[in-house]
């Protein structure tokens, strides 16, 4: 899954698809892209998708978003709320910083081996991304480690703990 939100102002979705189309060793059965309806209809977008040779689903995901996240083997995305969703779901990921306010969370998750951090909007490196993608794609043990570590950081039970605390007062 590729998820840079519905407003991908640094065009990371295109950059990621372009990189993936250049690396023949990375073969995907299905690629989900969370994007504005219509963004995936452009000629450039379609030509990249054809090169990848995978079934392609690009749309605004609503109620089924978490289901798609849980089904994803690898997610490439930004470091905001979507990183928290990836950590909670245990989806192994590669993360880019698309806003300065994301940096601290991304660095924390990366330091705890819960995501692979690939840089920010000002210094996108095709080689760094492709190396990270190859590392995560071909290494099941790494994906498992990222998944387990992410779920240790965000276990999804915060609201239950809050209710228990409030009821104990």
């Amino acid at each position: 899954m590729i998820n840079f939100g519905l407003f991908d102002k640094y065009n990371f979705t295109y950059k990621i698809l372009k990189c993936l189309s250049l690396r023949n060793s990375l073969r995907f059965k299905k690629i989900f892209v969370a994007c504005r309806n219509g963004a995936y209809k452009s000629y450039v977008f379609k030509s990249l998708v054809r090169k990848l040779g995978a079934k392609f689903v690009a749309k605004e995901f609503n109620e089924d978003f978490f289901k798609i996240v849980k089904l994803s083997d690898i997610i490439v995305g930004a470091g905001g709320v979507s990183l928290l969703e990836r950590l909670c779901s245990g989806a192994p990921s590669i993360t880019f910083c698309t806003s300065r306010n994301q940096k601290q969370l991304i660095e924390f998750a990366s330091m705890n081996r819960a995501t692979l951090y690939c840089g920010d909007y000002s210094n996108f490196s095709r080689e760094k991304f492709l190396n990270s993608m190859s590392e995560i794609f071909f290494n099941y043990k790494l994906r498992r480690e990222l998944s387990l570590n992410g779920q240790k950081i965000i276990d999804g039970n915060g609201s239950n703990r809050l209710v228990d605390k409030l009821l104990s007062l």
Side-chain angles (χ1 to χ4, degrees), residues 19-135:
C19 288
L20 292 176
S21 73
L22 298 173
R23 183 66 57 97
N24 292 333
S25 62
L26 300 172
R27 291 284 175 211
F28 301 92
K29 290 181 181 176
K30 190 182 287 187
I31 297 174
F32 292 98
V33 175
C35 64
R36 287 185 319 275
N37 285 333
Y40 59 90
K41 293 179 182 175
S42 75
Y43 171 76
V44 175
F45 210 86
K46 285 182 178 181
S47 67
L48 287 174
V49 170
R50 274 195 301 275
K51 286 182 184 178
L52 291 169
K55 183 176 179 190
F56 195 74
V57 180
K59 67 177 190 168
E60 290 183 36
F61 295 99
N62 296 316
E63 291 81 33
D64 54 348
F65 181 75
F66 193 70
K67 183 175 107 183
I68 300 301
V69 169
K70 289 292 285 181
L71 289 173
S72 298
D73 294 321
I74 301 167
I75 299 179
V76 180
V81 173
S82 64
L83 175 57
L84 295 171
E85 292 165 340
R86 295 191 306 269
L87 296 173
C88 180
S89 70
S93 68
I94 296 174
T95 304
F96 290 90
C97 184
T98 60
S99 179
R100 282 185 284 166
N101 65 346
Q102 300 171 351
K103 191 101 171 167
Q104 190 174 6
L105 173 61
I106 296 169
E107 288 175 346
F108 177 79
S110 178
M111 183 179 63
N112 285 284
R113 299 278 297 158
T115 191
L116 296 181
Y117 179 34
C118 259
D120 65 29
Y121 58 91
S122 65
N123 64 358
F124 178 82
S125 165
R126 177 183 296 171
E127 290 308 311
K128 185 171 184 176
F129 167 68
L130 286 172
N131 288 340
S132 294
M133 180 54 92
S134 292
E135 181 182 6

Side-chain angles (χ1 to χ4, degrees), residues 17-18 38 138 142:
L17 287 171
K18 178 77 172 166
F138 294 112
L142 174 61

Side-chain angles (χ1 to χ4, degrees), residues 137-152:
F137 188 86
F138 294 112
N139 187 340
Y140 175 78
K141 282 178 76 173
L142 174 61
R143 288 196 308 275
R144 182 81 176 136
E145 178 186 3
L146 294 171
S147 175
L148 292 173
N149 290 341
Q151 290 178 313
K152 286 178 190 172

